[in-house]
């Protein structure tokens, strides 16, 4: 009896359209012919079934996954751990969707075809190391900072309509001093009196403000410890603090080698100059793409150097004399900072020896 052999010799490409609860996968041959598509649950067992199903059609060359930074993150990690080449795929643009329609099977086939046509090339972040820990802690801290600002705004807005005696008592106080003063208020038990209810509300807001401040400080210390563990030289670079270092490390991920050059890092941060020439005009414009939070981090570094670093101030004066606007000078400086920090972020880490660990 001759055993049936699956077509293992042929090479295939996979594509996955990811969602919160399910993922839709598709397989195409290297010549572009569509083979099959199927839906799987977004669970660990579902990821294993998806990979086994794809491999049943041949030798898996690569898998294009939509949303590797959101719904497809866990699937991308599962595929990478199984030594499968994962490519990050952007969702089809609106023009293509209007022309070809929108369904999960169509999107999964489009993901596979984007890899096959070499339109999708980006390697996703691995999300399995210290940079991922920095990312989640930085995300929590940023949310706490935003919530604390909202809390302070509510507190100050409440004072606008508070009784005059209470307003005068708290006049001139800002931020932490205002929160401390509100926490010391002693309302009576008569909450039907608006003056007492305002005091209770101010105490609640003050307690929230202080709790958020403690959360922000704790997250800051944790981020600083992680950065010192993985890239301590970042914190000794002019203009780079814990906040900016955390953002840049989170942007690069645990596999910064996926960025093929410092130009790739600059493009990822949105600081690579974009040609904007026409006719006899030869010029470049600002890049409005990339990770805008990483772009903001580089902007903060540049502003710090423009105010404190003598060499940067001399450069600004010279370029201003050359006729460049402040905006163009900042663009050039962000590109320079990106080049400098890329070398630090991608520098191989020295192995930790027993003597250095005990030092």
């Amino acid at each position: 009896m001759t055993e049936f052999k699956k077509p293992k010799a042929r090479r295939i490409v996979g594509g996955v359209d990811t969602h919160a609860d399910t993922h839709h996968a598709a397989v195409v041959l290297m010549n572009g012919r569509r083979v099959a598509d199927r839906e799987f649950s977004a669970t660990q067992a579902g990821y294993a079934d998806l990979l086994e199903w794809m491999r049943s059609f041949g030798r898996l060359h690569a898998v294009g996954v939509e949303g590797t930074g959101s719904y497809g993150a866990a699937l991308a990690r599962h595929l990478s751990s199984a030594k499968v080449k994962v490519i990050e795929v952007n969702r089809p643009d609106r023009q293509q969707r209007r022309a070809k329609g929108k369904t999960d099977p169509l999107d999964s086939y489009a993901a596979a075809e984007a890899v096959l046509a070499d339109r999708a090339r980006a390697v996703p972040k691995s999300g399995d190391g210290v940079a991922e820990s920095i990312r989640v802690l930085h995300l929590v801290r940023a949310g706490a900072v935003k919530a604390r600002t909202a809390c302070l705004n509510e507190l100050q807005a409440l004072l606008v309509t508070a009784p005059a005696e209470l307003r005068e008592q708290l006049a001139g106080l800002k931020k932490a001093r205002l929160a401390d003063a509100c926490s010391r208020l002693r309302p009576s038990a008569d909450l039907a009196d608006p003056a007492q209810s305002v005091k209770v509300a101010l105490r609640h807001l003050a307690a929230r403000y202080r709790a958020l401040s403690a959360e922000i400080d704790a997250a800051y210390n944790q981020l600083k410890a992680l950065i010192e563990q993985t890239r301590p030289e970042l914190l000794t670079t002019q203009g780079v603090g814990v906040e900016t270092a955390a953002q840049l490390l989170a942007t690069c991920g645990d596999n910064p080698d996926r960025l093929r050059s410092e130009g790739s890092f600059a493009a990822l941060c949105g600081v690579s100059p974009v040609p904007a020439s026409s006719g006899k005009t030869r010029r470049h414009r600002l890049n409005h793409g990339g990770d805008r939070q990483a772009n903001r981090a580089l902007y903060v570094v540049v502003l710090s150097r423009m105010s404190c670093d003598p060499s940067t101030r001399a450069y600004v004066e010279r370029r201003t004399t050359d006729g460049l606007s402040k905006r163009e000078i900042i663009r050039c400086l962000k590109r320079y900072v990106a080049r400098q920090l890329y070398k630090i972020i991608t520098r191989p880490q020295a192995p930790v020896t027993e003597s250095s660990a005990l030092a």
Side-chain angles (χ1 to χ4, degrees):
M1 182 177 179
T2 304
E3 184 180 357
F4 175 74
K5 294 184 179 179
K6 295 180 180 179
K8 294 291 185 182
R10 64 181 184 181
R11 299 172 68 201
I12 58 171
V13 172
V16 185
D17 179 32
T18 60
H19 301 279
D21 300 320
T22 61
H23 296 336
H24 203 99
V27 172
V28 299
L29 300 180
M30 298 301 288
N31 62 7
R33 184 168 69 86
R34 297 180 175 183
V35 179
D37 65 272
R38 183 177 165 186
E39 187 176 83
F40 298 87
S41 62
T43 62
Q44 189 171 358
Y47 303 151
D49 292 341
L50 184 150
L51 180 57
E52 182 181 0
W53 175 79
M54 282 188 174
R55 283 176 166 168
S56 68
F57 293 99
R59 289 187 295 119
L60 194 54
H61 170 67
V63 178
V65 180
E66 285 188 14
T68 57
S70 55
Y71 292 140
L75 173 63
R77 287 194 293 267
H78 179 86
L79 294 175
S80 296
S81 65
K83 307 302 181 185
V84 175
K85 182 180 180 181
V86 180
I87 304 297
E88 184 175 359
V89 177
N90 295 325
R91 67 177 185 177
D93 58 28
R94 293 183 178 180
Q95 182 178 4
Q96 183 178 353
R97 289 191 171 185
R98 282 195 296 267
K100 298 184 178 181
K102 165 72 176 78
T103 65
D104 292 346
L106 288 177
D107 285 350
S108 59
Y109 278 120
E113 289 161 356
V115 175
L116 191 61
D118 204 29
R119 294 194 304 270
R121 305 176 185 176
V123 178
K125 291 187 283 188
S126 60
D128 57 357
V130 178
E132 178 66 10
S133 301
I134 291 174
R135 184 189 72 83
V136 296
L137 288 174
H138 181 260
L139 181 66
V140 168
R141 184 180 182 277
V145 169
K146 186 175 181 180
R148 186 177 66 175
T149 301
C151 175
L152 185 62
N153 291 340
E154 290 177 14
L155 196 153
Q156 292 172 335
L158 197 58
L159 283 176
V160 173
T161 58
E165 179 183 355
L166 189 57
R167 286 205 317 272
E168 293 170 6
Q169 178 183 346
L170 300 174
L173 300 179
K174 301 293 183 181
K175 296 185 179 180
R177 293 180 61 194
L178 177 60
D180 291 339
C182 290
S183 66
R184 291 193 294 267
L185 295 174
R186 293 296 178 263
S188 68
D190 184 15
L191 296 183
D193 182 0
Q196 304 306 316
S197 296
V198 169
K199 290 183 180 180
V200 172
L202 290 174
R203 281 174 57 88
H204 285 316
L205 289 172
R208 185 187 305 172
Y209 180 91
R210 296 171 74 176
L212 287 170
S213 295
E215 180 182 336
I216 291 168
D217 292 341
Y220 177 90
N221 293 331
Q222 292 162 345
L223 283 171
K224 185 178 180 181
L226 287 174
I227 294 169
E228 290 174 343
Q229 173 185 337
T230 179
R231 294 293 174 187
E233 56 270 38
L234 272 179
L235 298 181
T236 61
T237 304
Q238 175 74 33
V240 180
V242 171
E243 174 73 15
T244 51
Q247 178 59 62
L248 293 172
L249 287 172
T251 297
C252 289
D254 292 295
N255 50 336
D257 54 303
R258 69 194 180 96
L259 305 172
R260 295 181 295 274
S261 65
E262 52 91 13
S264 298
F265 176 67
L268 178 63
C269 296
V271 297
S272 56
V274 178
S277 303
S278 178
K280 296 181 179 180
T281 303
R282 295 290 182 269
R283 61 180 293 270
H284 290 79
R285 66 165 175 83
L286 295 172
N287 187 342
H288 302 295
D291 186 333
R292 303 316 298 172
Q293 292 303 312
N295 187 285
R296 179 194 60 81
L298 294 177
Y299 180 74
V300 170
V301 175
V302 167
L303 289 186
S304 174
R305 294 186 179 186
M306 288 174 69
S307 67
C308 303
D309 183 42
S311 60
T312 303
R313 293 171 67 90
Y315 174 83
V316 172
E317 292 177 5
R318 177 168 60 84
R319 298 297 280 171
T320 302
T321 305
D322 293 341
L324 268 67
S325 66
K326 183 177 180 181
R327 195 177 187 186
E328 291 174 321
I329 294 172
I330 290 176
R331 176 184 64 78
C332 295
L333 285 172
K334 286 197 293 186
R335 182 67 180 84
Y336 168 78
V337 172
R339 182 182 300 111
Q340 180 188 25
L341 296 184
Y342 171 80
K343 296 176 182 178
I344 297 175
I345 292 173
T346 59
R347 186 178 300 157
Q349 287 288 87
V352 178
T353 62
E354 185 177 351
S355 58
S356 63
L358 296 175

